[in-house]
Amino acid sequence: MVSGSLFHSRKNSWPTQEYISKSTLHLLDFDDAAPPEQAWRRKLNSHANLLKEFSVTFMEAIKMVKLGVRMWSYVREEASHGRKAPIDPFNRESCKPSATQGVPLGGMGSGSISRGFRGEFRQCQIIPGVCEASPVMANQFSIFISRDGGSKNFASVLAPGQHDCLGSRKRADDPGISSWGWNLNGQHSTYHALFPRAWTIYDGEPDPELKVSCRQISPFIPHNYRESSLPAAVFVYTLANTGKERAKVSLLFTWANSIGGNSHLTGDHVTEPFIAEDGVSGVLLHHKTTKGNPPVTFAIAASETQNVSVSVLPCFGLSEGSSTTAKDMWHKMVQDGQFDRENFSSGPSMPSSPGETLCAAVSASAWVEPHGKCTVAFSLAWSSPKVKFSKGSTYHRRYTKFYGASEGAAVDLAHDALTHYKLWEEEIEKWQSPVLKDEKLPEWYKFTLFNELYFLVAGGTIWIDSPLLSSTMGNDRGQSKDLECSTVKVTEARVDCRQGADNSYDSTATNGQYHVDEQDVGDVSDENESVETFREGNSTTALQSLMMTDQEYDNDVGRFLYLEGVEYVMWCTYDVHFYASFALLELFPRIELNIQRDFAKAVLSEDGRKVKFLAEGNWGIRKVRGAVPHDLGTHDPWHEMNAYNIHDTSQWKDLNPKFVLQVYRDFAATGDMSFGVDVWPAVRTAMEYMDQFDRDNDGLIENDGFPDQTYDTWTVHGVSAYCGCLWLAALQAAAAMALQLGDQDFAETCKRKYLKAKPSFEEKLWNGSYFNYDSGSSGNSKSIQADQLAGQWYTASSGLPPLFDDFKIKSALRKVYDFNVMKVKGGRMGAVNGMNPNGKVDDTCMQSREIWTGVTYGVAATMILAGMEEEAFTTAEGIFLAGWSEEGYGYWFQTPEGWTMDGHYRSLIYMRPLSIWGMQYALTLPKAILEAPRVNIMDRIHLSPVNGGLSHNEKGVRKIATKAGCFSSTAFHCAC
């Protein structure tokens, strides 16, 4: 825990008054219009540098020539089938990334739209795996102000300056959006971010006598598995008139019928006005997507009250041929401050022609008395009920469980957002308040902790309705009951401790997933294995075993996917989830447990289709039984795992231990016995799979002279600090879990291996002050790896005894702090992955010389658990200073995987930085961990001379399973 006096000197490091005057704060101090003191801040006129991407050195390029040639061929092959390769370093985005990002909109898993801190809507991700980064400049809020007497009139888009995409000159005859009033300077306007909320304060801009607060709210509510799935957001404008004259203020919300890129030009799009209950009204924009993707409907709306009048313009265009142009629309607002009421009865528009852009507008007008205040609320919602992956599988998104799959759902979403947002805010404040009020924590940490959660919305997330539906439920939602049939080697996951990994059989099985009535099995004709052999099978498996009771259905939270990053398009990349999963465990534990169940099923399956591995050019099978997959796939997740094909990840040494460690941490933190019983067969199998890598029978696994772990360009020889430490921790975790589930013999097996492995590990790697990178004889074998105690991080997080004595743990962490952290720009950039003992950065490969943001947070969490709080926060603060501070490189709300010493990034918007929640987890360990018995759990495992009584152990697990009422769910039916 953080000591009481450690950070008093850092209090108020971001004083609000430096950004907003005290008088303005006082005026806005009602209805949550004033931003909290603990928020990330920027002036709207802040200069936004273009970000610089990393480049490999000449020697690194030489080493990767063969990989580059094979990857180029693979990328082209995927493109020939209309698919995007999961890793494509050759085709860069046409829109240059810049430091203008802000808090994204909406909940999780229903597509996302981000909003930059200067007001632009960008980073649209409605189609899985596709991110349209460029801003859609027609999507804006604008303000029109007139006062009694008519001497003071203002009209301005509420975004500063002239944007590049509007053209360098404003033509008087331009019918498009450059004809609008882009008058805002932004000098007196500020943005404040505390995810999932953001505040933009216009302190006398454009009207010096009007203070305006725009509050952006999205339904990201921890432990709320309903509201947090909703694709909706609210913008609450608070107006404070400081003048002596009454002011008529009209706020305008415009939206293009687009999902980013050039989608607005594809044609056949329609808009129509609507009037809902409770004074909510607006416009629907029906968008017909291309390439067979499901349609999308947007809703923009405002809430009419006694003092607020709402009007709409259902359709305007951006070109001269439009019946109403953007210029006409702007002129109407300047003249009248509202649209004609009869527009509500205009009905659906004519479908747009190819090349034509349809837009819509909602206006909300109010009179604000002298020294008076007023509130105006808008909502944005989008409904894309079906999510379709490129190889054919289609599902219903999670929110359809509550709103259905019709186009009218967008109206209901927009309405409920406007009527429920205050309840959302109450829950958000209740969640965040303990952290924000903790005076022992540095200010930068408070808002960075919450703002790094942006990734769970903007990082590409898919949340589908439960695949385990009864036939009645399936029919109610229009879902097909057809099950995919595949010949896949699957282990029936009986909780049987007699045969372990050998107790398997070849079975034709289904994965138990119900799909929307579209093709279940995607195009696999380009695979090297026979399609016929893959599809053989019997579809009449025991359907009844997949049915759910009403109670199970109510408790089900569906299935969740999130990308490794918007550039590395792989779902639930597991070696990275190891770092990021602390966020889900803390905030949405049922989602976290379901992800672990997905991987447990995957461990026990095998997909024999052939895959070419690009690094070595060799062939192997897609998914090996017993190996934890690298990811759940790209083009058909759950069905076609291991989209990553650079190396054969069945030979990686970190995935299986990471699975065991995550499962045990989740099991210990939640105390969910049914979860433990469900996944135990996979845990045993994953551990036994690793026996093949202990080639000298010392209990330790050895690396194989290639990058066989998450650092996939950093070669490892022999025993390594990273994988070896993970293995030691996994042996402890597996032993502890076996003991608690009654599998005494496997607990003994793990303890015996641990007692052999630990002294061997220390003998081969401990050099007196830290653990060497590996036991080989290469030039970097004595490198100081920042991540060398990753296993100890999980051991301490799970309430297990430390792997090493306190001196060695603190000595290794002190070495990392002194060398990897403080010798890099004085600790102002984070922890470099590798550092030579002479104090020079390890430049063996690009990853050894990189600073990984998520690893730095993980190292800081390990330090906290070791009682080194000051070093921990100094280490993590380097990521804030380089990535989030005003003097940094501009990586806010797009934190990359890593950066180099000169600040060049690799892979923006990346999953691993969610590991800052590992720090919070360390500061507030779960009650189940804190109250665990203080007796060393390894000491409770008594070694017998000969392992026996196996049937006794099976009985122990079955007894627990029966008591938990969950044993039937341990029969895994899965296909990959």
Side-chain angles (χ1 to χ4, degrees):
M1 300 298 290
V2 176
S3 58
S5 60
L6 185 57
F7 296 111
H8 281 306
S9 62
R10 302 192 193 185
K11 286 177 61 179
N12 301 318
S13 57
W14 284 52
T16 313
Q17 294 86 340
E18 289 185 9
Y19 295 81
I20 313 173
S21 66
K22 287 185 178 180
S23 60
T24 299
L25 282 172
H26 178 73
L27 282 171
L28 297 176
D29 190 20
F30 79 104
D31 190 33
D32 290 313
E37 292 182 9
Q38 304 89 354
W40 180 86
R41 314 183 196 283
R42 280 295 176 277
K43 292 278 189 182
L44 262 62
N45 66 342
S46 296
H47 183 60
N49 292 324
L50 291 178
L51 309 181
K52 298 178 181 178
E53 192 170 14
F54 87 107
S55 58
V56 297
T57 66
F58 176 76
M59 290 305 298
E60 289 167 351
I62 292 297
K63 291 178 183 178
M64 292 191 289
V65 166
K66 292 182 178 178
L67 169 62
V69 170
R70 295 186 191 109
M71 182 165 284
W72 170 252
S73 176
Y74 170 68
V75 167
R76 293 184 63 187
E77 173 71 14
E78 286 295 283
S80 71
H81 293 284
R83 298 190 294 264
K84 181 180 178 181
I87 302 175
D88 181 0
F90 307 108
N91 299 310
R92 313 312 302 168
E93 296 289 345
S94 57
C95 174
K96 295 286 186 182
S98 66
T100 61
Q101 299 286 55
V103 174
L105 306 168
M108 300 189 299
S110 296
S112 69
I113 302 167
S114 290
R115 192 177 185 221
F117 74 81
R118 296 196 294 187
E120 73 277 15
F121 294 86
R122 60 190 308 146
Q123 297 288 143
C124 190
Q125 296 186 79
I126 305 296
I127 297 172
V130 177
C131 180
E132 296 288 354
S134 301
V136 180
M137 294 307 296
N139 298 349
Q140 296 290 345
F141 282 100
S142 304
I143 193 167
F144 304 84
I145 307 162
S146 61
R147 293 183 179 270
D148 284 348
S151 58
K152 300 176 182 177
N153 297 311
F154 302 89
S156 179
V157 178
L158 288 174
Q162 183 73 289
H163 289 260
D164 293 339
C165 24
L166 298 176
S168 58
R169 292 190 176 180
K170 186 174 176 180
R171 298 192 346 251
D173 60 344
D174 186 358
I177 61 174
S178 66
S179 64
W180 296 356
W182 299 88
N183 310 316
L184 198 75
N185 176 275
Q187 181 180 358
H188 302 292
S189 301
T190 55
Y191 180 84
H192 309 254
L194 192 64
F195 178 89
R197 296 193 292 171
W199 293 255
T200 306
I201 308 299
Y202 305 91
D203 195 357
E205 287 189 280
D207 182 346
E209 296 181 338
L210 187 70
K211 312 294 185 182
V212 181
S213 166
C214 173
R215 188 162 87 259
Q216 173 186 312
I217 310 150
S218 292
F220 183 96
I221 305 168
H223 306 285
N224 184 324
Y225 297 88
R226 182 187 189 278
E227 305 293 304
S228 297
S229 71
L230 305 186
V234 177
F235 307 90
V236 182
Y237 280 84
T238 301
L239 312 170
N241 183 5
T242 62
K244 297 179 180 178
E245 299 170 319
R246 189 174 65 148
K248 182 183 180 182
V249 181
S250 297
L251 289 159
L252 176 71
F253 188 15
T254 53
W255 199 260
N257 202 325
S258 169
I259 57 170
N262 294 320
S263 65
H264 57 291
L265 300 176
T266 55
D268 217 16
H269 311 310
V270 174
T271 65
E272 65 173 316
F274 70 87
I275 297 177
E277 298 176 345
D278 304 310
V280 173
S281 56
V283 182
L284 292 175
L285 298 94
H286 304 290
H287 188 87
K288 184 176 181 180
T289 60
T290 58
K291 299 180 180 179
N293 288 302
V296 183
T297 298
F298 294 97
I300 56 173
S303 187
E304 190 161 271
T305 65
Q306 185 175 359
N307 190 40
V308 178
S309 175
V310 176
S311 59
V312 301
L313 182 63
C315 184
F316 69 89
L318 304 182
S319 59
E320 194 68 55
S322 304
S323 58
T324 302
T325 65
K327 183 177 181 180
D328 297 334
M329 183 277 300
W330 189 265
H331 181 72
K332 174 71 171 176
M333 287 298 299
V334 170
Q335 291 295 113
D336 302 335
Q338 61 190 25
F339 302 114
D340 299 330
R341 293 294 296 182
E342 54 265 28
N343 287 348
F344 279 112
S345 58
S346 62
S349 69
M350 293 292 294
S352 63
S353 302
E356 177 187 10
T357 302
L358 285 188
C359 303
V362 175
S363 169
S365 305
W367 285 96
V368 188
E369 298 298 324
H371 306 292
K373 299 174 183 179
C374 181
T375 298
V376 179
F378 293 88
S379 65
L380 167 69
W382 57 96
S383 177
S384 181
K386 296 178 183 178
V387 54
K388 179 181 178 181
F389 293 99
S390 59
K391 283 198 173 179
S393 293
T394 304
Y395 308 90
H396 277 130
R397 297 188 193 260
R398 165 76 174 171
Y399 78 90
T400 62
K401 181 172 182 176
F402 317 108
Y403 284 84
S406 71
E407 292 180 340
V411 173
D412 296 334
L413 286 161
H415 168 272
D416 289 357
L418 285 168
T419 55
H420 294 168
Y421 75 85
K422 291 185 178 180
L423 296 175
W424 295 351
E425 285 195 292
E426 287 178 9
E427 293 302 310
I428 292 168
E429 289 172 359
K430 188 186 302 181
W431 157 49
Q432 294 182 338
S433 181
V435 174
L436 300 180
K437 291 180 179 179
D438 189 342
E439 296 186 354
K440 298 184 294 297
L441 297 173
E443 299 242 340
W444 67 263
Y445 171 78
K446 296 177 184 179
F447 57 74
T448 307
L449 176 72
F450 292 113
N451 285 333
E452 287 284 18
L453 291 171
Y454 84 93
F455 187 85
L456 288 176
V457 173
T461 56
I462 300 294
W463 195 355
I464 65 168
D465 194 8
S466 172
L468 302 176
L469 301 174
S470 70
S471 57
T472 304
M473 294 172 184
N475 289 335
D476 287 345
R477 286 168 175 76
Q479 296 189 345
S480 166
K481 289 179 286 182
D482 296 333
L483 296 175
E484 179 182 0
C485 304
S486 310
T487 297
V488 178
K489 188 176 181 181
V490 181
T491 297
E492 184 180 20
R494 301 182 180 120
V495 186
D496 188 335
C497 307
R498 290 173 292 180
Q499 299 297 328
D502 295 329
N503 183 31
S504 63
Y505 64 94
D506 287 345
S507 170
T508 300
T510 71
N511 67 345
Q513 293 199 50
Y514 293 87
H515 300 279
V516 183
D517 49 350
E518 301 204 19
Q519 181 185 6
D520 286 341
V521 181
D523 177 14
V524 294
S525 59
D526 59 313
E527 299 291 343
N528 302 95
E529 193 71 13
S530 165
V531 177
E532 284 71 25
T533 59
F534 181 70
R535 287 180 176 170
E536 286 177 2
N538 179 2
S539 64
T540 59
T541 52
L543 189 62
Q544 294 301 318
S545 67
L546 303 174
M547 303 303 182
M548 300 180 70
T549 66
D550 290 341
Q551 182 178 3
E552 288 172 326
Y553 177 73
D554 292 339
N555 291 333
D556 186 66
V557 298
R559 300 177 88 174
F560 187 84
L561 298 168
Y562 65 145
L563 289 176
E564 180 178 338
V566 297
E567 295 178 35
Y568 298 161
V569 187
M570 292 165 283
W571 300 105
C572 293
T573 298
Y574 201 73
D575 55 308
V576 185
H577 182 65
F578 175 79
Y579 298 84
S581 58
F582 283 92
L584 288 173
L585 177 61
E586 282 270 286
L587 307 176
F588 297 95
R590 289 161 68 187
I591 287 178
E592 165 64 8
L593 296 187
N594 276 4
I595 290 175
Q596 301 297 2
R597 286 185 172 101
D598 279 336
F599 277 91
K601 294 176 183 180
V603 167
L604 299 166
S605 69
E606 183 164 299
D607 184 343
R609 289 174 292 174
K610 295 294 180 63
V611 173
K612 184 176 183 179
F613 301 114
L614 304 180
E616 294 82 17
N618 59 318
W619 291 82
I621 67 172
R622 178 173 289 279
K623 169 65 181 69
V624 176
R625 184 191 175 277
V628 173
H630 171 274
D631 54 79
L632 292 178
T634 290
H635 303 305
D636 202 5
W638 298 299
H639 298 280
E640 188 181 88
M641 291 177 281
N642 278 333
Y644 178 93
N645 61 348
I646 295 177
H647 299 289
D648 180 359
T649 59
S650 68
Q651 299 298 305
W652 276 21
K653 310 308 183 294
D654 64 336
L655 289 168
N656 283 38
K658 283 176 175 176
F659 170 70
V660 175
L661 289 171
Q662 288 183 75
V663 163
Y664 184 74
R665 178 206 56 190
D666 298 348
F667 176 63
T670 63
D672 190 329
M673 189 61 70
S674 65
F675 166 74
V677 173
D678 282 349
V679 300
W680 176 244
V683 171
R684 269 198 68 150
T685 302
M687 291 297 292
E688 289 165 336
Y689 180 85
M690 298 301 290
D691 286 343
Q692 63 184 298
F693 303 120
D694 178 12
R695 298 184 177 90
D696 56 4
N697 198 34
D698 65 348
L700 275 177
I701 58 172
E702 285 86 41
N703 293 85
D704 282 326
F706 75 100
D708 50 356
Q709 26 76 47
T710 194
Y711 300 90
D712 58 353
T713 68
W714 200 358
T715 298
V716 198
H717 300 275
V719 176
S720 71
Y722 184 67
C723 296
C725 188
L726 290 171
W727 176 242
L728 289 177
L731 286 170
Q732 271 203 354
M737 193 169 183
L739 186 67
Q740 293 171 67
L741 291 176
D743 192 345
Q744 177 68 30
D745 292 302
F746 195 71
E748 289 186 19
T749 298
C750 291
K751 182 174 180 178
R752 288 180 190 275
K753 288 182 180 178
Y754 177 80
L755 292 176
K756 288 176 62 178
K758 180 181 174 181
S760 180
F761 179 86
E762 297 193 47
E763 178 185 350
K764 292 179 179 180
L765 296 179
W766 179 251
N767 61 23
S769 60
Y770 65 95
F771 295 100
N772 290 335
Y773 176 68
D774 64 29
S775 63
S777 57
S778 61
N780 70 320
S781 288
K782 290 183 170 56
S783 181
I784 307 163
Q785 184 178 14
D787 216 2
Q788 62 185 267
L789 290 180
Q792 173 58 30
W793 175 24
Y794 261 73
T795 292
S797 297
S798 305
L800 293 169
L803 297 176
F804 317 106
D805 61 52
D806 190 59
F807 164 75
K808 289 179 179 175
I809 293 171
K810 288 188 175 179
S811 175
L813 290 172
R814 169 59 64 179
K815 195 75 173 183
V816 169
Y817 178 76
D818 290 341
F819 279 68
N820 301 58
V821 178
M822 298 309 294
K823 289 186 183 295
V824 180
K825 302 287 181 68
R828 298 180 63 84
M829 292 195 74
V832 69
N833 284 335
M835 178 70 79
N836 289 311
N838 62 5
K840 294 184 178 180
V841 172
D842 182 348
D843 60 1
T844 303
C845 66
M846 70 176 191
Q847 291 178 344
S848 62
R849 62 184 173 89
E850 286 180 328
I851 295 158
W852 282 10
T853 52
V855 166
T856 299
Y857 288 142
V859 170
T862 311
M863 290 174 173
I864 291 171
L865 291 163
M868 300 170 62
E869 296 95 344
E870 186 168 1
E871 293 88 344
F873 281 94
T874 301
T875 296
E877 188 176 20
I879 303 302
F880 162 73
L881 292 171
W884 286 85
S885 74
E886 200 153 7
E887 297 77 28
Y889 296 105
Y891 296 127
W892 43 81
F893 301 102
Q894 53 187 338
T895 316
E897 159 75 309
W899 47 67
T900 56
M901 300 281 285
D902 57 3
H904 289 212
Y905 74 87
R906 183 169 62 81
S907 187
L908 291 173
I909 312 182
Y910 196 79
M911 180 199 293
R912 204 180 321 247
L914 284 171
S915 61
I916 192 173
W917 280 85
M919 294 178 66
Q920 187 63 17
Y921 185 93
L923 292 168
T924 58
L925 285 171
K927 185 177 180 181
I929 301 296
L930 291 172
E931 296 182 355
R934 295 304 173 194
V935 178
N936 188 327
I937 199 161
M938 294 295 278
D939 292 340
R940 293 169 56 194
I941 302 171
H942 303 291
L943 299 179
S944 58
V946 179
N947 283 354
L950 297 178
S951 59
H952 156 75
N953 300 319
E954 179 187 352
K955 181 178 178 182
V957 179
R958 287 186 178 275
K959 183 177 180 181
I960 293 172
T962 304
K963 185 176 180 180
C966 61
F967 186 72
S968 62
S969 66
T970 62
F972 294 144
H973 298 278
C974 83
C976 305

